[in-house]
Amino acid sequence: MSAAPDHPVELQYAPSGPFSAEERAAVYRAIQTRRDVRRGFLPERIPEPVLWRMLEAAHHAPSVGLMQPWNFLLVTGPAQKARIKAIFERANAEAIAMFPPERRKAYAALKLEGIMQAPMGICVTCDASRAGAVALGATHMAGMAEFSTVCAIQNLWLAGRAEGVGVGWVSILDEEALKEVLGIPAQLRVVAYLCAGMVEQTMATPELEQRGWRQRLPLEQLVYRDRWGEPA
Amino acid sequence: MSAAPDHPVELQYAPSGPFSAEERAAVYRAIQTRRDVRRGFLPERIPEPVLWRMLEAAHHAPSVGLMQPWNFLLVTGPAQKARIKAIFERANAEAIAMFPPERRKAYAALKLEGIMQAPMGICVTCDASRAGAVALGATHMAGMAEFSTVCAIQNLWLAGRAEGVGVGWVSILDEEALKEVLGIPAQLRVVAYLCAGMVEQTMATPELEQRGWRQRLPLEQLVYRDRWGEPA
């Protein structure tokens, strides 16, 4: 924590008007064609410059009180990946049993991770104490440090799409087991374990939608004006 | 919840190679020039097509098990905004008192919201039960539905940057008071209250950085390889 100056600061501004039509289209293309990638990773490594551009994009996420609570643990060792795959297998067996019997066959048929096939795992952690015991903006709403970390993940995901790198979020994991395998300090949270690798093609629409697990909801039903339930 | 078909589905793929250099630059420009906007909102309304493109971008976020747990409550009524501003004022007075005495003057000098000046507030909520009692991918890691909602917020934020719409996240709020003012059902979580409006300029770098509250951390210190603490 650096000392905030008591004297007034001359703030530096930059223009922030709309992008050109071509630039806007590129941003929307990244947003709309980004997929949760679980298959089709090419075996080649992500080139280092590409990887660091993605990490820089993550690091430019907003964070509450400029806390920057994130770390990125790159997992490339086959032994580490195999341990994490085993953690997934155990958790997924538990998960199947939680669904109603009539959904279990459909659940079991889904491919929900690409841990071994992806050349790289990226474990993204959150240290909510990074800015000290009390952090600006994190005094009232629970989870703000974790939410900042998720903004970083979404930035990385979109940067990956623009770079031809597929990214998939594996959430069916035992967090404590994962922390032990990776040596992550007990007081930190693991927010995500991502699988990442170059891809040539991904799903045209979300795989869960193609498989009939769930459909996209109509946006207009999700938007209200001034009070819950009032149509926009 | 729709029934998943038991027969095999022919999955539809789309090419997903790298964007052109110009497209990539546009994506990185959005990521790197996006700011947490608290001042400089123009009084004009966000044009409806722009607003809906931003909401569509949010709705294209990844969500655990395709849950799409988000709702967007657009706040434009002056009376509603004034009530929310009062909730901020109370919470912020509490927040100041939580900081060490030597930081309070600097904290009190910061502008941390633009609730009244922004033409629109966007309250983003999360319904973790949207996909039923048990949701694919949300069985093990806590907070996955909220994390999906944050991905939607980051998409909206980046789309806003491309559209010339400034967005600021106000987190110094009492969640229960906010839910009461907006009529949000008790079992839902408010993930964010955003201020949004057209802007011509925003901060060249984060305002907290310019004011010396905290500095950007060196990225390379935040990245490890295969085990916590091992340099990448």
Side-chain angles (χ1 to χ4, degrees), chain B residues 75-227:
Chain B
V75 180
T76 51
Q80 289 295 64
K81 290 205 287 184
R83 287 186 196 103
I84 293 163
K85 172 77 179 211
I87 294 170
F88 168 81
E89 295 289 1
R90 283 198 300 276
N92 204 42
E94 293 169 359
I96 292 172
M98 294 181 200
F99 283 87
E102 69 275 14
R103 295 281 278 179
R104 286 180 198 161
K105 192 177 165 190
Y107 182 97
L110 297 170
K111 178 164 173 51
L112 298 174
E113 53 76 38
I115 297 167
M116 297 307 292
Q117 197 195 1
M120 178 172 281
I122 307 176
C123 186
V124 188
T125 60
C126 175
D127 180 357
S129 70
R130 181 150 294 159
V134 182
L136 184 154
T139 50
H140 285 74
M141 304 276 280
M144 288 306 300
E146 289 80 4
F147 295 172
S148 301
T149 306
V150 174
C151 289
I153 292 166
Q154 182 65 2
N155 272 6
L156 182 143
W157 215 334
L158 293 169
R161 175 62 196 92
E163 298 281 3
V165 174
V167 174
W169 183 325
V170 185
S171 59
I172 307 166
L173 291 168
D174 179 282
E175 187 176 346
E176 295 309 313
L178 190 58
K179 283 160 74 171
E180 194 181 325
V181 162
L182 295 173
I184 295 166
Q187 72 277 16
L188 267 57
R189 265 218 68 185
V190 173
V191 173
Y193 185 86
L194 308 173
C195 295
M198 308 303 294
V199 283
E200 281 174 349
Q201 53 177 18
T202 55
M203 295 290 150
T205 54
E207 185 168 343
L208 291 180
E209 198 177 333
Q210 292 197 35
R211 289 190 181 276
W213 182 265
R214 272 178 73 80
Q215 300 305 315
R216 186 174 295 279
L217 302 171
L219 172 60
E220 59 277 14
Q221 294 179 11
L222 303 175
V223 184
Y224 301 133
R225 194 173 293 257
D226 273 326
R227 207 175 157 78

Side-chain angles (χ1 to χ4, degrees), chain A residues 170-191:
Chain A
V170 185
S171 59
I172 306 165
L173 292 167
D174 179 282
E175 187 176 346
E176 295 310 313
L178 189 59
K179 283 160 74 169
E180 193 181 323
V181 162
L182 295 173
I184 295 167
Q187 72 277 15
L188 266 58
R189 264 217 68 182
V190 172
V191 173

